[in-house]
Amino acid sequence: MSWSHSGPPLKLRVDTNLHSHPRLGGRNVHGRTAETLQGDQCAIGRPSVLRMRGGEGIFDDIDKMGQSIMGNGLWKFVKLAIGWREKVQHTVEEDLEICRKITSRHVKKSNMVDRKLLYFISQGPTFFANPVTYLLRYMRGTEVQVAKAVSFLNENKDKLSTNEMKEHLSKAESKGGLGLTPARVSEALFRASIQVEEQQEEEDNKKHFVEEEDEELAAYQKKLEKSHKGTSSAGENKKIHKLATQKWTGTSGNVVKRLQKELIAIQSSGSFEVELVNDNIFEWYVTIEGAKGSFYEGEKFKLRFGFDEKYPTEPPEVTFVVQVPGWPLPEAPTTCASGDCPSQRKGGEWPARWGTRKHHCPIHPHIYTNGHICLSIIYDDWSPALGVEAVCHSMISMMSSAKEKEPPADNEMHLDAGQSGSAKKLKGWDFHDHEA
């Protein structure tokens, strides 16, 4: 007997209790479950057919007729040529397992979060409105990869930590991961609405350092120590941060090793004072001093370096620390400062025209009072050959060449426009640092 339904989807309740089915101990059951069953209350979708075991359908009659006319061997060849599909016979247990799997997929799909449209809009009108963007993504397989990543994140966000999920997404496919680039990992996290908390990320980063010395980094440190012997600072006891030579077990190992080598080099030479914010290898505070004979002689400032997994291919985020923890604020306005604030030399002035917004940034035509810096090498002119030390020297050079000690002419406009976010995301810098 064959029965088909062409009207609206019907509802079929399936009893998931195996003991309630007649097929126990080898007996046959008089009902079959359809492959379109979804959940405990499943719909029979159009144009599906529910085959009942009480009789034989027309396809069974054709099958027997073909076997009797052509013989079993030739009929099998004909069925293969025309794409004949045999009716799959399942046990009740197999039917129920299929139903459970489909139910599980249905539930996950209903809880799926994919802010794809919002992501495309956030990339700007050119990206969003350009049809070539979507065509290229599908041709390269990018969209399929990211969709898989979003599905993985939705399924595992309650089981795995954010860092573990990121590690799986970026791990090579040959090692069981998805092999996504850092940019595509960020896209997948955004589309799955998974926020990477900065504090949690710092804690995860710390967990990837093990109490074991990296032999390569230890050898590099000893080599630098030998090279610095005989210099003016040879007698000083250089203290290297404990994370500089520790072994890293997380992702982005090449980035971390590059940062560790730079940290060893700077602290071994004593060229600049470096501190890792909350022992986070991806965030540094570097203290610089104004050069002798410049407007900034006798003044100290702190630069913040924020690194990510794209370093050194892309530049770090470099800003001045607006208010350094533990430092007293400068006196403003004043004609003769006491010198208690490290960023304001003794006897220095702070005219009323500089404003009353107190901060620890240098007063310079290319340095805004929110810490943003208009310096080409940390944006468009960045090169992977550069590093933290090179940026610090360039900053001191730019400050030394200043012809006047004044804030940027558009400082207030820059602040009022709400440009207080990431300096790297700002567009339209008009660089004149060579004219400072």
Side-chain angles (χ1 to χ4, degrees):
M1 180 180 71
S2 177
W3 175 75
S4 64
H5 176 67
S6 60
L10 300 179
K11 298 291 182 179
L12 176 65
R13 181 166 292 280
V14 178
D15 190 351
T16 58
N17 185 359
L18 296 178
H19 298 289
S20 65
H21 285 279
R23 181 169 182 164
L24 290 173
R27 290 174 294 164
N28 238 348
V29 65
H30 49 266
R32 305 291 303 166
T33 57
E35 292 186 2
T36 53
L37 296 179
Q38 293 191 355
D40 184 40
Q41 197 173 33
C42 306
I44 306 172
R46 299 192 300 264
S48 60
V49 175
L50 183 66
R51 296 175 180 267
M52 309 298 289
R53 287 180 62 92
E56 297 177 345
I58 186 171
F59 293 106
D60 297 313
D61 294 335
I62 294 173
D63 191 16
K64 287 185 178 181
M65 188 184 301
Q67 288 181 30
S68 62
I69 295 173
M70 302 183 189
N72 193 36
L74 181 59
W75 176 236
K76 281 185 178 179
F77 177 78
V78 172
K79 287 198 293 183
L80 182 65
I82 64 176
W84 180 283
R85 294 180 63 185
E86 298 288 352
K87 182 173 67 176
V88 181
Q89 298 291 333
H90 294 297
T91 64
V92 173
E93 290 84 355
E94 290 172 336
D95 279 335
L96 292 174
E97 183 61 27
I98 290 171
C99 188
R100 290 191 188 102
K101 287 182 178 179
I102 295 175
T103 303
S104 175
R105 287 200 299 269
H106 177 69
V107 171
K108 287 176 182 174
K109 188 175 180 180
S110 67
N111 292 333
M112 176 70 71
V113 176
D114 191 349
R115 303 187 300 169
K116 179 178 176 180
L117 180 62
L118 185 59
Y119 172 77
F120 287 152
I121 293 173
S122 70
Q123 298 304 298
T126 305
F127 187 92
F128 174 65
N130 189 356
V132 177
T133 299
Y134 306 96
L135 179 62
L136 290 176
R137 284 174 66 89
Y138 278 101
M139 288 177 64
R140 294 170 180 168
T142 302
E143 182 57 41
V144 175
Q145 284 183 315
V146 176
K148 285 181 181 178
V150 173
S151 178
F152 171 81
L153 292 172
N154 277 279
E155 292 175 10
N156 295 279
K157 58 186 175 184
D158 295 328
K159 304 173 187 175
L160 303 175
S161 69
T162 303
N163 209 60
E164 288 173 326
M165 290 190 290
K166 286 173 66 179
E167 188 173 347
H168 177 79
L169 298 184
S170 58
K171 189 186 297 182
E173 293 185 60
S174 59
K175 297 181 179 180
L178 296 180
L180 298 185
T181 62
R184 299 287 73 81
V185 171
S186 299
E187 177 188 344
L189 290 168
F190 178 90
R191 284 171 55 170
S193 193
I194 295 177
Q195 301 296 327
V196 181
E197 296 293 338
E198 187 175 343
Q199 184 177 0
Q200 182 61 41
E201 192 171 17
E202 289 177 8
E203 292 299 321
D204 291 338
N205 286 335
K206 291 177 188 177
K207 292 176 184 176
H208 288 301
F209 279 107
V210 295
E211 294 296 331
E212 184 179 345
E213 192 173 60
D214 187 294
E215 294 181 2
E216 180 186 346
L217 293 171
Y220 181 71
Q221 180 186 347
K222 290 178 181 178
K223 180 182 176 181
L224 288 180
E225 286 176 349
K226 288 181 180 179
S227 67
H228 289 305
K229 283 183 178 180
T231 61
S232 58
S233 57
E236 298 179 12
N237 183 21
K238 300 295 189 306
K239 186 177 180 181
I240 308 298
H241 196 283
K242 63 180 181 179
L243 296 185
T245 56
Q246 277 189 349
K247 186 174 286 188
W248 171 269
T249 59
T251 57
S252 306
N254 291 335
V255 177
V256 174
K257 186 155 286 190
R258 160 78 182 241
L259 292 173
Q260 288 175 302
K261 285 186 175 181
E262 287 197 47
L263 182 60
I264 292 170
I266 295 173
Q267 292 191 321
S268 295
S269 66
S271 54
F272 297 102
E273 180 186 332
V274 183
E275 57 181 297
L276 271 56
V277 182
N278 297 322
D279 285 340
N280 180 11
I281 193 67
F282 293 101
E283 186 177 4
W284 298 11
Y285 279 178
V286 182
T287 304
I288 63 173
E289 296 185 28
K292 290 183 179 180
S294 70
F295 290 119
Y296 310 95
E297 182 180 353
E299 296 180 346
K300 293 183 179 182
F301 310 95
K302 282 189 184 288
L303 284 168
R304 177 194 174 274
F305 287 79
F307 306 94
D308 57 22
E309 57 273 357
K310 298 177 185 177
Y311 182 79
T313 306
E314 293 188 11
E317 182 179 23
V318 186
T319 55
F320 277 99
V321 180
V322 179
Q323 292 189 358
V324 179
W327 284 14
L329 289 171
E331 300 164 30
T334 183
T335 56
C336 185
S338 64
D340 293 337
C341 176
S343 65
Q344 187 179 45
R345 72 170 178 265
K346 187 175 182 180
E349 63 173 1
W350 185 298
R353 67 177 182 275
W354 290 357
T356 57
R357 186 184 289 115
K358 299 180 180 181
H359 56 83
H360 294 127
C361 303
I363 304 297
H364 188 279
H366 300 314
I367 300 172
Y368 293 91
T369 56
N370 64 352
H372 291 176
I373 307 162
C374 185
L375 180 64
S376 58
I377 67 163
I378 58 174
Y379 301 105
D380 298 351
D381 293 339
W382 171 260
S383 166
L386 299 172
V388 173
E389 194 165 3
V391 170
C392 291
H393 284 302
S394 296
M395 202 68 63
I396 294 172
S397 177
M398 183 185 77
M399 291 165 56
S400 300
S401 61
K403 298 174 183 176
E404 59 179 359
K405 193 173 184 179
E406 294 289 342
D410 61 340
N411 183 68
E412 295 302 320
M413 186 186 302
H414 186 83
L415 300 182
D416 293 341
Q419 307 285 20
S420 57
S422 172
K424 282 182 68 175
K425 294 180 180 179
L426 297 182
K427 304 296 182 183
W429 286 105
D430 188 13
F431 300 109
H432 299 283
D433 41 275
H434 61 286
E435 301 174 0

